[in-house]
Amino acid sequence: MKRLWPVSLALFALVVTGCDEGGGGEGSSASAPAISAPAIVDGGLRESQPEEADRKEVVTGYLEMDAGDPVATGRRVVTVVEEAGGRVDSLTEQPEASSVLTVRVPADRLDEVVDEIRTLGRVTSLSTTRDDVTMQYTDLEARVGALRASVDRLRALLESSADVEALIAAETALAERQAELDSLEAQRRQLGDRIELSTLTVDITTDRLPSEQDSFWDGLVAGWNSLGAALGAAVIGIGAALPWVAFLFVCAGVLYLVIRLITRRGRSSGTTGTPDTERTDSDA
């Protein structure tokens, strides 16, 4: 019995150690998911990245800025946009006053173009709007795909069918489907163009008010220019009024002649009537 006690104690120690190792194994296996959880999350994020890349957005922006020469600055904006692969949809220039441009810029280069335009003057306002049109674009693609398949089936039916009534019905349905397909494809192209090319409106005005002058000479030049402009406007006004003055003068002359003629006839009739009156009195 004394010899069995050490052996029993040794077996008990082995059992206890095995239990501890088993518990540690369970702990390590339990902690494994906690360690791998970020990997799962990261994996989920990686799987969602293609969805983010597939988002369709229509981006529009409005930028206001001041510049010493709005027209020259506007033309530099045109150069920046064209170098970025964009185009100009509209341009309105008022010399020495303002220049307003509506440009289309590749969506992936919009920020780059805006940053470059910032260097051309003093930006006073900038706003951008992003409209998510993913669902609309996806719906258009699905409808286009379904209609294209329907058109293909109708064309195959036209080629294989020998029944006249069936051919007429198929042709009518094909015409309707083709018209609807063309309309949807046009909508998809228009939406795709708005997605691919962002719209940016650039409003450039002069940063100097007309009343602000840098020196006496600038004021003198401005006064002389305003005087010349006023005299020019006065000359134009006189030129515009001359035909009316001549017309009124002619009308006044005609009216004067008519009055003179009426007056002379009245005097002559009064003179001729006086002797007859006197003769009648004497006879009486």
Side-chain angles (χ1 to χ4, degrees):
M1 293 294 295
K2 291 181 180 180
R3 292 180 179 179
L4 291 175
W5 275 107
V7 176
S8 300
L9 291 174
L11 290 174
F12 179 76
L14 289 174
V15 171
V16 173
T17 304
C19 292
D20 292 339
E21 289 178 354
E26 291 176 358
S28 60
S29 62
S31 61
I35 296 173
S36 60
I40 295 173
V41 173
D42 292 341
L45 290 176
R46 293 192 189 99
E47 290 177 0
S48 65
Q49 284 177 358
E51 296 180 0
E52 292 293 331
D54 291 339
R55 284 189 63 183
K56 306 297 183 182
E57 292 182 335
V58 175
V59 183
T60 57
Y62 185 81
L63 187 149
E64 290 183 352
M65 61 185 301
D66 294 338
D69 189 345
V71 173
T73 305
R75 293 174 182 174
R76 292 174 66 185
V77 170
V78 172
T79 302
V80 171
V81 170
E82 291 178 347
E83 288 179 351
R87 69 173 188 264
V88 179
D89 280 358
S90 66
L91 172 62
T92 303
E93 294 180 347
Q94 294 182 357
E96 301 181 1
S98 66
S99 180
V100 182
L101 306 91
T102 301
V103 299
R104 305 294 304 281
V105 182
D108 56 348
R109 302 195 64 181
L110 178 62
D111 294 338
E112 175 185 347
V113 170
V114 170
D115 290 340
E116 192 165 354
I117 292 176
R118 284 175 177 271
T119 62
L120 303 179
R122 184 176 65 89
V123 175
T124 58
S125 176
L126 174 62
S127 62
T128 57
T129 303
R130 295 180 177 270
D131 295 328
D132 190 349
V133 294
T134 306
M135 296 298 296
Q136 182 181 354
Y137 189 83
T138 304
D139 178 65
L140 282 174
E141 281 195 328
R143 294 171 63 187
V144 166
L147 279 174
R148 187 176 289 117
S150 177
V151 167
D152 293 339
R153 287 194 299 268
L154 288 172
R155 287 176 178 171
L157 179 62
L158 286 173
E159 294 176 357
S160 60
S161 178
D163 187 3
V164 177
E165 294 182 357
L167 287 174
I168 294 175
E171 286 179 353
T172 303
L174 177 60
E176 294 176 355
R177 296 287 197 283
Q178 188 64 50
E180 188 176 358
L181 176 61
D182 294 340
S183 175
L184 289 178
E185 286 182 339
Q187 294 179 30
R188 187 181 64 173
R189 285 193 300 269
Q190 182 181 11
L191 184 59
D193 180 72
R194 294 173 59 198
I195 294 171
E196 182 180 358
L197 296 176
S198 301
T199 303
L200 178 65
T201 301
V202 183
D203 189 353
I204 309 170
T205 56
T206 180
D207 57 355
R208 168 189 275 182
L209 297 176
S211 59
E212 293 180 353
Q213 308 299 336
D214 294 334
S215 63
F216 172 78
W217 177 254
D218 291 336
L220 182 61
V221 171
W224 179 261
N225 291 335
S226 62
L227 176 62
L231 291 176
V235 171
I236 293 173
I238 292 173
L242 278 178
W244 290 96
V245 173
F247 174 74
L248 293 175
F249 182 77
V250 171
C251 291
V254 172
L255 182 62
Y256 176 75
L257 290 175
V258 170
I259 293 173
R260 288 291 301 272
L261 288 174
I262 294 173
T263 304
R264 286 182 179 180
R265 288 182 179 179
R267 288 178 180 178
S268 60
S269 62
T271 304
T272 54
T274 302
D276 293 337
T277 306
E278 292 176 353
R279 187 177 299 173
T280 301
D281 294 338
S282 61
D283 292 339

